[in-house]
Every structure is written in C-alpha cells, then in structure tokens.
Amino acid sequence: MIRLTMFSSAEKVKGQGVASAYRELINLLFNQTDLYDMKINTYRSADISHYHTVDLPFYLSTFSKKRGIKVGYVHFIPETVDDSLQLPKWFRRFFYSYLISFYKRMDKLVVVNPAFISKLEAYGITKDKIEYIPNFVSNQTFYPLDATERHAIKEKHVSTHAFTVLGAGQIQQRKGVLDFIEVAKKLPEVQFIWVGGFSFGKITSGYKELKLIVDNPPKNVLFTGIVDREQMNMYFNLADVMFLPSFHELFPMTILEGMSCERPILLRDLELYEDILFDYYLKATSVEGFVEEIIQLKSNPEYYEAAKTSAARGAYHYSEERLSEIWKDFYYDLAGNTT
C-alpha cells in the first residue's frame, strides 16, 4: 500500500477546472483503500507527495525528506496565465519564475495535455520527468438523464421546446465568450446558457468588457454565474449541445462532463485538441462556422445522433474506469511497488 499525500488549495476558488480535476481524482482514490493510504494537506511521512496547486507552504514542504517522491500536476504554465489573468508586470515576472521553480522541485510532472511537454522542455525541464495523464470524470457524477427527467428540468429552466446550447467555464476572453454571444445573436430562436462566472474577479482578462455583456446579454442568452459542481449534471442535461469556442485551452473538464452526459460537443478547431479529442467532437473556425454547425444539429436528426454517439465514445475513452488503471500504474511504478 502506498502512503500518498495530496496537497491542494484548488477548491478555495469555485468554478474553475483545477478544482474539478482534483476532486475527480480524490474521489477515485478514496474508493481504493486497498491500494492507497491517502491523506490531504498533512505533513506526515509519505511515499509520494502529489502537489495540485503551487502554494508557498507547499513549495517550502518540498525541502523535507518526509515528502518522498514529489509529483507536480501541471494545470497551467506562464503562457496560459497570460491569457486568463491581468497581473501587474512586476508580479507576473516574479510569479512565473516561482512557478517554474516549483515545477523544477518535482521529481515527476503530470500534464493533462501532451502539448505541454515541449513547452516545459523550453523552460529547462527534461522530457523524462514529464508524464501525460488526461483528465477524466466519473459517470456517477455526470450521466444522461432519461427523456422524462430532461423534459422536467427544461420546463423549469428554459422553454421545453427551445433548442438549447450550453457553454461552461470561467468567463474569460480566452474562453471565446464574445464569439459565444455573436453566435447567439445570429440564432435568436435558439436558447444559449453560459454556466460560470468571474472566478478571479476583476483581475480576469477582459473583465470590464465581459462584465458589460454579462450584465446586459441578448434576450436569448442566460448567464447563470458560478454554480456548485453538483448542479452541473442538470445543466448539461437540459442542453441539446455543449459549445465551447475557446481560443486556448489545456484539457477542459467541461468537455469531458458534456461527453459523459452524451451531449454533442462543438469546439473551435484547435491543434491542441487533435491528439486528445480525436473525432469525438464537432469543430469550426469562425462565428459563421459555429452557426452552421448548430443549425445542422438543430435541423438534422441523423447528424445530431451521430454527434451524440461520438461524444459517448469520448466519454468511454476518458472514463473513470480506464483512468483508474493508468493512475494506479503511475503511482506504483514511482513507488517501486508491484500491484
């Protein structure tokens, strides 16, 4: 049995994917008491210490021999922070230097997208220290409801007859929220919902412009604000399509959540999706392209069902069952044990 300690403050900030990814892994490992003796944010002796966030006390703890093998979860790098937050230049330089120093303190880094490997190498981290393990979601948390249940929640939150398009995540420029709004304007007969808010408040990139839109959206657009993750299965099920027009991403948990609910997934055509999402999603490069895809999904039942089937295949590929074995192999290989 591996003595495994998790270090994280991710759940202090609601409505962001790092917390969701952390919670999924914690739930998975808590159910495997025969494999792991797991503790959270304690400084006991451990075989493996797994760092999910880069807090200063966690950084200082890496100098203790009690930490065992140190694993760092790479949810972001300097380039992605630039796209998300407006930080003072002096603080940005300090934080980025600190971030890379934190990663270099690790014995092993886990990235959620293989595109990060070359970027970390550019910061002087050798490739043999980096492992790619994708995010996943549990089908006990995210799952399709039956037709009767879907009808009931649509009746409560939107018109039961409205074709509904769901976006989810933090409200940031990089998430493509402005394009989400433009698509909605071109499809006034379609209901659009964005679940999420300004998790980091006024330092969010593009805050002023986005706040004006959130406060005065088109008639067919609803911004819910930040909601508890327990409510997200309901929102995915009342939607007909999950639409995320991000310009830059890592490996959004919302995509996996939508797939697990068997919603067709529509994304911007980004290179970083090619090696992780394969043919599980629909894609376009512009507002016009997104509009065409949504119209096709709305009007062509065969096209819609094919997109649902693709999403379901994606859900299986990134299922809890499959990733459970990958994490077990990873931890036991590191600890030098046999299963």
Side-chain angles (χ1 to χ4, degrees):
M1 182 179 292
I2 293 176
R3 289 174 299 165
L4 176 63
T5 300
M6 297 296 196
F7 290 97
S8 175
S9 63
E11 293 180 316
K12 290 181 179 179
V13 180
K14 288 188 175 183
Q16 43 100 21
V18 177
S20 298
Y22 166 73
R23 179 48 51 189
E24 288 287 354
L25 182 57
I26 290 298
N27 289 344
L28 182 148
L29 299 179
F30 264 135
N31 292 327
Q32 298 180 323
T33 54
D34 57 326
L35 298 176
Y36 310 104
D37 171 16
M38 185 174 68
K39 301 294 182 183
I40 298 173
N41 293 342
T42 64
Y43 294 95
R44 61 156 188 180
S45 294
D47 298 315
I48 297 173
S49 293
H50 189 158
Y51 295 87
H52 294 257
T53 56
V54 296
D55 310 48
L56 180 59
F58 298 165
Y59 179 85
L60 296 176
S61 79
T62 66
F63 293 91
S64 169
K65 293 181 180 179
K66 291 183 178 181
R67 298 285 61 77
I69 298 168
K70 299 181 290 292
V71 175
Y73 221 156
V74 180
H75 292 286
F76 53 86
I77 56 177
E79 294 92 319
T80 59
V81 177
D82 275 340
D83 291 335
S84 302
L85 302 177
Q86 295 174 322
L87 301 174
K89 288 184 179 180
W90 68 267
F91 182 79
R92 189 187 311 154
R93 287 195 296 269
F94 165 76
F95 179 67
Y96 293 170
S97 176
Y98 169 80
L99 180 64
I100 298 304
S101 176
F102 195 109
Y103 290 158
K104 288 182 176 180
R105 289 290 307 156
M106 300 295 107
D107 299 303
K108 201 78 172 179
L109 292 173
V110 175
V111 297
V112 297
N113 192 309
F116 267 30
I117 296 174
S118 60
K119 296 181 184 297
L120 288 169
E121 285 185 283
Y123 286 108
I125 297 170
T126 58
K127 189 174 183 179
D128 62 351
K129 287 182 62 172
I130 307 169
E131 186 92 8
Y132 162 57
I133 302 179
N135 289 331
F136 68 95
V137 297
S138 169
N139 60 14
Q140 300 300 307
T141 307
F142 292 94
Y143 51 89
L145 300 177
D146 63 34
T148 301
E149 291 173 306
R150 288 196 68 228
H151 182 88
I153 60 174
K154 287 197 76 167
E155 187 175 42
K156 181 178 180 180
H157 294 276
V158 297
S159 167
T160 55
H161 302 295
F163 191 83
T164 303
V165 175
L166 181 77
Q170 295 181 58
I171 296 178
Q172 298 174 341
Q173 283 186 329
R174 75 175 177 91
K175 292 286 186 180
V177 177
L178 297 179
D179 277 3
F180 187 86
I181 293 295
E182 290 304 309
V183 172
K185 288 178 179 178
K186 293 179 181 295
L187 295 169
E189 75 284 2
V190 174
Q191 174 69 58
F192 287 76
I193 301 175
W194 188 281
V195 181
F198 298 102
S199 295
F200 293 94
K202 293 182 180 181
I203 66 170
T204 299
S205 179
Y207 175 81
K208 288 184 178 179
E209 181 182 10
L210 293 169
K211 186 68 165 62
L212 286 173
I213 293 171
V214 170
D215 290 343
N216 300 279
K219 290 182 179 179
N220 63 326
V221 177
L222 170 65
F223 286 100
T224 67
I226 297 172
V227 303
D228 290 335
R229 193 161 187 255
E230 290 73 19
Q231 293 181 274
M232 286 303 299
N233 192 63
M234 179 268 292
Y235 277 104
F236 280 113
N237 274 281
L238 70 81
D240 296 289
V241 179
M242 196 281 182
F243 171 39
L244 188 65
S246 294
F247 291 95
H248 190 87
E249 281 292 352
L250 314 182
F251 197 139
M253 292 294 289
T254 54
I255 293 176
L256 300 184
E257 291 161 3
M259 285 180 171
S260 195
C261 294
E262 297 183 7
R263 299 299 93 196
I265 307 297
L266 175 59
L267 308 173
R268 194 177 299 276
D269 187 6
L270 301 178
E271 184 179 353
L272 62 92
Y273 290 143
E274 293 176 2
D275 292 332
I276 58 173
L277 296 180
F278 312 109
D279 61 346
Y280 303 143
Y281 66 109
L282 302 172
K283 56 191 175 184
T285 59
S286 65
V287 168
E288 292 72 21
F290 294 134
V291 169
E292 290 176 8
E293 286 292 339
I294 293 171
I295 290 174
Q296 182 83 315
L297 288 164
K298 182 174 180 289
S299 61
N300 187 333
E302 291 183 1
Y303 192 75
Y304 185 87
E305 288 301 317
K308 273 185 64 176
T309 300
S310 294
R313 288 192 295 108
Y316 174 76
H317 187 76
Y318 292 116
S319 65
E320 182 180 41
E321 293 78 11
R322 197 175 79 85
L323 269 297
S324 174
E325 290 300 313
I326 291 173
W327 276 110
K328 183 178 75 171
D329 291 344
F330 173 74
Y331 285 136
Y332 271 80
D333 284 347
L334 279 184
N337 293 314
T338 57
T339 57

